[in-house]
Amino acid sequence: MAAPRSRRRRPAPLLLDIHGGPHNAWNGAADLIHPYHQVLARRGWAILTLNPRGSDGYGDAFFSAVSGGWGVNDANDFLEPIDELVAEGIADPARLAVTGYSYGGFMTCFLTSRDDRFAAAVAGGVVTDLFSMGGTSDYGHFLAEKENGGLAWRDEQRISAQSPFTQVDRVTTPTLILHGAADERCPVGQAEQWFTALRERDVPTRLVLYPGARICSCSPASPRTARTSRSA
């Protein structure tokens, strides 16, 4: 976790940043993709980066512990540390934010559809509807069987429990959605569905599409300048 530059006595705003994958992992090294961590820490934010179950580097059992239970199995791996930081007076419970790309975008949507503690969310390269994902993503069939534990038309209950969209009616968190318009791994319809549902419910929402960008969980890249923006 990156701490605020000054050791203030009062709790700091906290950003939970969720890595992609889900089988990737954060480490302690600075990188070129997440310089905003240091920028926000300098401005007084606390940055929380966690390796929940499913992350790489902790053995086979830990690596596969999220399979068949995206969100269901690992949500508390994010929420319980936040509870601890709030209890310790490090994080301000009124100023919690969440972000992530690809699987991190999925978890951002999942957490905001199951928990209302976050004051803001930035979801990138999102996966929101595992039912349509299984038939539209270039890896959809593989992801459904190997990662989600079954095909939607064979195991509706399991897929429904993992899908953020099944509880989109519970979302109250203002959300910025960032998505590559040519992404074949996480099809753009995943972002458009989430945006449309939040807008219909009057949740403050903005969708930014990056024309031609093909950003997926396997190849992180910097999107080109956005020219398409939709706002509620």
Side-chain angles (χ1 to χ4, degrees), residues 5-127:
R5 183 177 63 166
S6 60
R7 293 286 182 180
R8 300 182 304 175
R9 293 184 179 179
R10 61 175 183 164
L14 180 140
L15 174 67
L16 168 63
D17 198 341
I18 305 172
H19 69 61
H23 307 301
N24 292 327
W26 292 109
N27 58 51
D31 61 62
L32 298 176
I33 302 176
H34 305 93
Y36 57 87
H37 288 173
Q38 305 305 320
V39 173
L40 289 174
R42 183 177 179 85
R43 294 180 179 179
W45 282 72
I47 312 300
L48 180 60
T49 54
L50 300 165
N51 288 329
R53 68 197 82 186
S55 300
D56 199 2
Y58 300 89
D60 290 342
F62 193 86
F63 185 88
S64 60
V66 75
S67 298
W70 280 20
V72 177
N73 293 353
D74 56 345
N76 284 337
D77 293 350
F78 301 104
L79 300 179
E80 289 177 0
I82 293 175
D83 289 338
E84 288 295 321
L85 293 173
V86 170
E88 293 172 12
I90 295 172
D92 184 345
R95 294 186 293 170
L96 303 175
V98 58
T99 190
Y101 208 95
S102 191
Y103 188 79
F106 162 83
M107 276 306 307
T108 296
C109 296
F110 186 92
L111 290 176
T112 58
S113 69
R114 269 70 174 180
D115 196 288
D116 62 0
R117 74 182 64 195
F118 297 102
V122 181
V126 300
V127 175

